[in-house]
Amino acid sequence: AFVVDRDYARRDVVEAAFNDGKRRFRWRRHSIENYLLEPAVVVHALTSMINTTPSSKRYLLGSVPNDEATIAMELRTCAQARAPQEAGRMAYYRLWEDISDPAGRIDNGLPTVLSQGSPNVAACRQALIAEVTRMIQKANETAACMYLAPLAIQQRYDDELARITAGGYMSQSCFLEEFHGRDLLGAVHARLNETYKMRLSRKTFTEALRDAVHVVYSANRLLYGTDDFLDLANGVRALAQMPPLT
């Protein structure tokens, strides 16, 4: 079994991967980095560093906050700044989901006659002509797809941007599930550096978050709303015909 990033897949696609009997699972969040940015995890990481960093190196932490309300506010600030790009990514990813059926796909496949070998000149020539004709037909289907009209694309982007900038979406930190984890992590790291004069490298900051996840999650298995790690473990155990963990 193996786990892949959710990327921008819809939630129902992700949930299906837990129960479809296949060896491929998806994180419920965009990527593994998203699990590092839960406010409680960030606060624990920063508090631990404040308490354990020698006084001679305390300057590396600047005046970083270590309360969840401030961290949650800074996360929202970073998410709001990233929203225009994230809306474009989500719109693009879901556009492909929507056009896969009505528009068809222009697959790159060598005709059977040409892949298996044939000494017949006419048959080889006709196979090539037929394949290009098929490609043109599929291209025309795609070009005529209603989802690809300029106004439809504009509306798709505007709707996505409105959804992810709505007050409830931001206040409930839904972006921690759907936004690009690595990019959001980079934005948070830069924000702490710029606003609070933190001088930790991104690698050091990420490692501190990674260590904090284990501690905070162990104390609160519903830290992420759902117990994603347990569900993943039980999905793997089901494949191996083993009883579930609780």
Side-chain angles (χ1 to χ4, degrees), residues 128-145:
L128 181 59
I129 292 172
E131 176 59 16
V132 172
T133 300
R134 185 196 66 81
M135 292 171 59
I136 292 172
Q137 179 182 351
K138 287 297 182 182
N140 288 335
E141 289 177 12
T142 300
C145 177

Side-chain angles (χ1 to χ4, degrees), residues 156-169:
R156 179 183 291 269
Y157 176 83
D158 290 346
D159 288 347
E160 203 64 58
L161 183 62
R163 181 181 74 84
I164 67 175
T165 54
Y169 186 94

Side-chain angles (χ1 to χ4, degrees), residues 57-233:
K57 294 186 177 181
R58 193 68 57 82
Y59 70 92
L60 294 172
L61 296 170
S63 58
V64 291
N66 61 343
D67 65 279
E68 288 192 31
T70 302
I71 291 299
M73 178 190 70
E74 296 297 358
L75 284 165
R76 286 193 295 272
T77 298
C78 293
Q80 288 165 349
R82 291 206 47 73
Q85 187 179 55
E86 290 294 331
R89 290 173 171 180
M90 292 176 184
Y92 180 81
Y93 191 99
R94 289 163 187 173
L95 172 65
W96 276 104
E97 288 183 335
D98 288 340
I99 69 173
S100 61
D101 290 331
R105 294 182 58 187
I106 307 174
D107 294 319
N108 178 14
L110 195 65
T112 302
V113 170
L114 300 181
S115 62
Q116 295 183 353
S118 171
N120 188 300
V121 172
C124 290
R125 182 188 297 113
Q126 185 55 42
L128 181 59
I129 292 172
E131 176 59 16
V132 172
T133 300
R134 185 196 66 81
M135 292 171 59
I136 292 172
Q137 179 182 351
K138 287 297 182 182
N140 288 335
E141 289 177 12
T142 300
C145 177
M146 64 179 181
Y147 294 120
L148 297 180
L151 288 179
I153 296 297
Q154 177 179 317
Q155 189 63 53
R156 179 183 291 269
Y157 176 83
D158 290 346
D159 288 347
E160 203 64 58
L161 183 62
R163 181 181 74 84
I164 67 175
T165 54
Y169 186 94
M170 285 293 170
S171 64
Q172 296 172 30
S173 299
C174 298
F175 56 86
L176 290 178
E177 178 182 323
E178 294 192 320
F179 277 27
H180 192 289
R182 287 182 291 279
D183 288 349
L184 185 58
L185 175 59
V188 172
H189 175 255
R191 175 77 179 174
L192 294 177
N193 282 347
E194 294 167 6
T195 307
Y196 301 98
K197 309 305 179 185
M198 185 181 77
R199 301 183 185 179
L200 297 175
S201 68
R202 178 165 171 173
K203 178 181 179 182
T204 299
F205 180 58
T206 303
E207 289 174 348
L209 294 175
R210 179 199 62 197
D211 294 341
V213 165
H214 172 71
V215 177
V216 180
Y217 167 73
S218 296
N220 178 14
R221 296 270 292 273
L222 294 181
L223 172 66
Y224 303 108
T226 52
D227 195 340
D228 296 6
F229 301 115
L230 178 63
D231 291 345
L232 175 61

